[in-house]
Amino acid sequence: MIRIQARTEPSSLMKVASPLLAILLTLIFGGILFSAIGKSPSQALHVLLIAPLADSYNIGEMFVKMGPLLLCAVGLSLCYRANMWNIGAEGQLLAGALGGSAMALYFIDSDSALALPITLLAGIASGMIWAAVPTFLKLRFNSNLILTTIMFNYIALYLLIWAVHGPLRDPQGFGFPESAMFTDATLLPTLFENSRIHLGIVFAILSGIIGWFILSKTHLGFQIRVFGADEPAARYAGFNSKKLSWFVMLFAGSLAGLAGVSETIGPIGQLVPNVSPGYGYSAIIVAYLGRLHPLGAIIAAVFMAVIYMGGDLAQIEMGIPVAVVSMFQGILLFFLLACDFFINNRLSFSNQATN
Amino acid sequence: MDSDLIVQILFAAVKTGTPLLFIALGEVICEKSGILNLGQEGMMLMGAVVGFLAAYSTGNMGFGVLAAMIMGSTMSLIFAVLVLQLGANQVATGLALTIFGTGLSAFVGAGFVGQTIQGFPPIAIPLLSDIPYLGRILFNHDILVYFSFGMTAVLFYVVNKTRIGLTLKAVGENPNAANAIGIPVLKVRYLAIMFGGAMAGISGAYMSLVYTPMWVENMTAGRGWIALALVVFASWRIGRIMLGAYLFGLASIMHLVLQGMGWSISPNLLAMLPYVATVVVMVIISADHFKEKLLAPRSLGKPFDPRNMA
């Protein structure tokens, strides 16, 4: 008979294998689902996974989507390590897009070399502010961070929609809820010709490396890790939990804000109501898939970006609703959490029942 | 403002508060057993889409509600297995359920966007609906609103006055002690989670069968999250949940009220009101740290593994 046994030591092999196993199980599930709705599973999986990487334009688009996912996920990884349940990357991203766009519009007739850095800083600061308020409310008034950050996502969304209908709307835009197109002084340079890959992906990969450095090489990172692993021990050691909480939240907010402003002054080029197809929420899954490790997040963000691309292609080529993307993301996280069970447990096969 | 308008506003607040009431009642039972399920929004959306599809294709509204409840429960079962059987983190699992439900509901409902159905007709309750003011506010609704009244009363009684309620609270306060005196902790938690799922399902069905009545992607607009805040607001008490649901309902229609009063504020700014109100209320309620610690089920969000009990 098969029994479940607790491992004496957590399996380090399963820690790495679990995300891969979860991806495999998600793909199998996807194949079954596609055949159930009468689509060819091999064609669907090809469109979802292979086609996004099939030519250089698509690969470029994949990197465009990877940038914001990774920026958000690196910040969230640190937050979750420190037991700060920040679900607000989406709102922080939107705040960054809004603040950055306002600044880019201010510089619309400028050719100053400072316009771009100031615009980026405005986005970063906006994201930080959007993270700072729920953090303050939690530390000062003990309010539930999960719920306040979620509420701030909705508030940011309506604020952005209000702005593109009102103060930031393009006066020459025939009444469409969009800002004017930004000008060269505030646009992020693209890295290659014939591709939309822009400087944002460099920021994103740098953020992964910086996140890794902070977490692995600094005393602050050590404190975060101890705090996440054993909160009473961290308190006993005298770590300042407020300082850690502020740090991870502002770090996450600034990265999400950077992601938001980079979207508007990067591939989009103006402020529109749908800046983000849920990047901030998907980044939660990226963070988990990457084992809450900033370098792991880089790999996980590639996979998630491929799924995003694949979702778009599946809609165009096979008429599969694009909602399939978030469905797969949810299933992926389910499988990941289930596979993680085997980090601390194992199956044992034996013929005799023991007492 | 004349009294007629006030009556209309309060009537609408009850109607808008009803889906919040359903889902928060389910969540409070779940939380009383010590389980925090953040998948409310996903379960609610699945309830909304499945309820709509079932009612649309059979023409039977009651069948739609039933299908929504079964769907909500099935969704919550995924959560229950991961959290109870595999010891998965409750926050992460709940988030996964919401993301999954958001995607799946949009996927399933893609072909039905924009279709409408008749909806439940309002039923005026004889005698009660003749009470001045109150009758028009409370007793002139559809059958699901009355069902929510009944559900509140039953849960109030069960939680506060019966052995079942005592068992539920024992599991949520101290699962180890409950286990020691022979209460099947995991079974109680399974049932509580699935009850929460069924209530989230009916809450979603209220949105797609009565409130709009149609299916639109993401039509719940964060109500599942607001319900979680509502449980905190109500300090885990059934009676206060009802009051809170109608207050939140009022906050969500305030933009219509203010527009009706001739205020010229952008509808997009006013649409923030329920979310801002939720934050403000949570800050006020949670500021008293000691009190909240006293009221929240003590094992809330913490895993319980009976195998560690040997």
Side-chain angles (χ1 to χ4, degrees), chain B residues 125-178:
Chain B
I125 295 191
L127 297 178
L128 287 177
S129 61
D130 296 333
I131 303 171
Y133 304 118
L134 215 56
R136 281 176 57 205
I137 296 169
L138 291 176
F139 301 111
N140 228 325
H141 284 278
D142 56 273
I143 191 162
L144 284 181
V145 172
Y146 302 134
F147 182 61
S148 74
F149 292 169
M151 206 67 197
T152 311
V154 168
L155 287 179
F156 183 85
Y157 178 77
V158 168
V159 167
N160 295 314
K161 306 280 179 204
T162 67
R163 207 181 167 79
I164 299 174
L166 211 57
T167 308
L168 181 71
K169 284 183 277 189
V171 167
E173 289 297 326
N174 191 337
N176 292 340

Side-chain angles (χ1 to χ4, degrees), chain A:
Chain A
M1 63 181 284
I2 305 170
R3 291 170 67 251
I4 292 165
Q5 247 181 7
R7 293 182 198 266
T8 43
E9 289 279 316
S11 158
S12 43
L13 173 69
M14 266 315 285
K15 273 185 197 163
V16 179
S18 172
L20 302 175
L21 198 57
I23 289 174
L24 187 69
L25 288 169
T26 306
L27 296 181
I28 294 171
F29 180 90
I32 295 171
L33 180 93
F34 287 127
S35 34
I37 59 167
K39 311 271 181 193
S40 150
S42 58
Q43 191 199 351
L45 292 179
H46 182 269
V47 170
L48 269 177
L49 292 174
I50 311 295
L53 301 172
D55 62 57
S56 61
Y57 176 79
N58 280 353
I59 292 176
E61 287 300 290
M62 190 276 287
F63 279 115
V64 168
K65 291 190 187 325
M66 177 188 165
L69 286 168
L70 179 55
L71 280 166
C72 293
V74 169
L76 293 182
S77 297
L78 263 63
C79 286
Y80 297 164
R81 289 247 178 184
N83 288 337
M84 289 294 278
W85 294 103
N86 172 13
I87 318 294
E90 181 78 4
Q92 291 146 23
L93 184 150
L94 295 176
L98 181 57
S101 297
M103 192 57 83
L105 289 174
Y106 174 80
F107 282 119
I108 199 147
D109 294 321
S110 156
D111 53 3
S112 159
L114 288 174
L116 180 59
I118 292 176
T119 301
L120 285 171
L121 283 177
I124 292 172
S126 308
M128 277 174 119
I129 292 170
W130 221 248
V133 180
T135 312
F136 172 75
L137 296 179
K138 177 184 167 57
L139 297 179
R140 175 69 182 78
F141 298 109
N142 184 41
S143 63
N144 182 317
L145 187 70
I146 296 171
L147 295 177
T148 44
T149 48
I150 288 265
M151 292 301 133
F152 267 67
N153 291 346
Y154 286 99
I155 296 169
L157 180 63
Y158 284 109
L159 203 60
L160 190 149
I161 292 174
W162 166 76
V164 290
H165 279 94
L168 300 188
R169 184 167 61 189
D170 182 4
Q172 275 103 49
F174 306 104
F176 282 108
E178 295 170 350
S179 79
M181 294 300 288
F182 304 140
T183 45
D184 281 347
T186 55
L187 285 179
L188 281 178
T190 51
L191 300 182
F192 307 101
E193 271 180 45
N194 302 325
S195 165
R196 296 202 302 163
I197 304 181
H198 55 90
L199 209 53
I201 188 66
V202 178
F203 297 151
I205 291 178
L206 274 179
S207 81
I209 295 168
I210 292 170
W212 164 79
F213 183 81
I214 293 173
L215 201 58
S216 307
K217 304 287 173 195
T218 66
H219 186 56
L220 193 67
F222 172 72
Q223 294 187 359
I224 292 171
R225 280 181 290 141
V226 175
F227 206 84
D230 191 347
E231 200 170 318
R235 289 187 193 284
Y236 186 73
F239 295 166
N240 184 340
S241 76
K242 280 200 174 182
K243 200 180 97 188
L244 288 178
S245 303
W246 272 115
F247 173 76
V248 291
M249 286 298 290
L250 292 180
F251 183 68
S254 62
L255 291 185
L258 178 60
V261 64
S262 301
E263 281 299 287
T264 52
I265 62 171
I268 305 177
Q270 63 182 145
L271 186 64
V272 292
N274 48 343
V275 172
S276 158
Y279 286 139
Y281 294 111
S282 305
I284 298 169
I285 296 173
V286 173
Y288 266 98
L289 202 60
R291 309 271 74 171
L292 304 185
H293 192 293
L295 296 182
I298 297 180
I299 302 166
V302 171
F303 178 74
M304 195 61 78
V306 168
I307 294 278
Y308 259 106
M309 279 292 296
D312 287 350
L313 293 174
Q315 184 172 35
I316 296 163
E317 291 183 14
M318 299 179 71
I320 293 170
V322 76
V324 78
V325 170
S326 52
M327 192 172 82
F328 276 170
Q329 290 175 351
I331 292 169
L332 179 61
L333 189 48
F334 283 145
F335 278 127
L336 181 67
L337 292 163
C339 291
D340 279 355
F341 177 72
F342 294 100
I343 292 174
N344 290 308
N345 296 274
R346 64 192 179 92
L347 296 175
S348 77
F349 303 90
S350 69
N351 290 321
Q352 64 213 69
T354 47
N355 289 322

